[in-house]
Amino acid sequence: MDNKPTDGNPQDNKAYLDEIAVKGKKKFSSGPILSPVMIKVLIAGVIAIIAMVVIGNVLSEKNKSVAAIHEKVYVRISSIADKKYPLTEYKKKVRASELREYCTQLTNSATNTLANLKGVAKTINLSTSGFSSEVTSENTKVRSKLSSSLLNAVYAGNLDNTYADEAAYQISLLINLEKQARSKTSEAAYAKVLDESMADLEIILERFEEYSDNH
């Protein structure tokens, strides 16, 4: 039976309105929007997304680092094979014939390795035409420093000794780069090119070092 108050009793009217208010609150009141299970699921989802982003960034940076090493190897070998490479340009000024011969061996080794690298470049997604500014800038600095050292040696009258030392240092730098690249590849053809190059360079390095030790 409806408890609707009569028109003449204010207290009954107030009680009636209070009752309606309580019923309204009960009617529109609801439990929590998300259950504890749903909250846990959402949190797990957010964590998973964050983890995917972090892992993706890490892998991306790792891939860039690996690509940069392969690029550095190619650019450095290209530089050594270049006819205007400082060691090649100053070779004619060197007095010791064995040093000139060692330089020729180095140039030939770099030229052969460069040709082999071009043959396997696609297997490691290596571009042989366009290089990053960071890699080219670094190579330019190394090359410029070498050129300055040899020029100063000419003025100082000790080119042969400086030439042997600088050649050994440049070869060591290249071997180190090739070792890094070798450790970061699973491509058999590319690994073979690097192994053959390092074997040649080790022999040439030993000859330059032997000259330095004996003069």
Side-chain angles (χ1 to χ4, degrees):
M1 181 177 178
D2 193 355
N3 293 324
K4 183 177 180 179
T6 61
D7 294 337
N9 191 335
Q11 292 182 348
D12 289 342
N13 288 339
K14 183 178 184 301
Y16 175 69
L17 293 174
D18 289 343
E19 182 180 352
I20 291 177
V22 171
K23 288 182 178 180
K25 289 181 180 179
K26 291 182 179 180
K27 180 178 180 180
F28 293 104
S29 176
S30 60
I33 297 175
L34 296 176
S35 67
V37 174
M38 287 297 295
I39 292 175
K40 290 181 180 180
V41 170
L42 287 175
I43 293 174
V46 171
I47 293 175
I49 292 173
I50 294 174
M52 289 176 64
V53 171
V54 171
I55 292 173
N57 289 337
V58 170
L59 291 177
S60 177
E61 290 302 317
K62 182 179 179 180
N63 290 336
K64 289 180 181 179
S65 176
V66 171
I69 290 296
H70 298 330
E71 192 174 285
K72 286 180 180 180
V73 168
Y74 187 88
V75 170
R76 190 64 56 83
I77 292 176
S78 298
S79 182
I80 295 175
D82 182 9
K83 293 181 179 180
K84 293 184 178 181
Y85 184 60
L87 287 176
T88 302
E89 286 194 321
Y90 280 86
K91 181 174 69 172
K92 59 183 178 290
K93 296 181 181 293
V94 173
R95 294 180 180 180
S97 60
E98 59 263 49
L99 289 179
R100 294 195 295 272
E101 175 59 27
Y102 301 159
C103 180
T104 298
Q105 293 172 7
L106 175 61
T107 302
N108 290 341
S109 175
T111 301
N112 292 334
T113 301
L114 186 62
N116 292 333
L117 284 177
K118 289 180 179 179
V120 300
K122 289 184 179 180
T123 65
I124 56 173
N125 297 318
L126 173 67
S127 171
T128 59
S129 57
F131 309 105
S132 68
S133 58
E134 180 180 352
V135 171
T136 54
S137 176
E138 179 181 328
N139 186 69
T140 298
K141 290 179 181 178
V142 171
R143 186 164 171 157
S144 178
K145 186 176 180 180
L146 171 61
S147 183
S148 295
S149 178
L150 295 176
L151 179 59
N152 291 335
V154 171
Y155 292 146
N158 61 346
L159 177 61
D160 283 27
N161 288 336
T162 301
Y163 189 93
D165 291 341
E166 287 290 352
Y169 177 65
Q170 295 299 318
I171 295 172
S172 296
L173 288 179
L174 177 54
I175 291 175
N176 183 55
L177 282 176
E178 289 186 331
K179 285 181 178 179
Q180 292 181 54
R182 181 66 175 81
S183 68
K184 296 180 182 297
T185 186
S186 58
E187 294 293 337
Y190 180 54
K192 181 180 178 182
V193 172
L194 294 174
D195 288 339
E196 291 177 349
S197 176
M198 286 188 286
D200 286 345
L201 292 173
E202 290 286 359
I203 294 173
I204 300 171
L205 173 61
E206 184 178 348
R207 290 170 180 169
F208 276 114
E209 289 179 335
E210 184 177 356
Y211 180 90
S212 294
D213 292 340
N214 295 327
H215 293 81

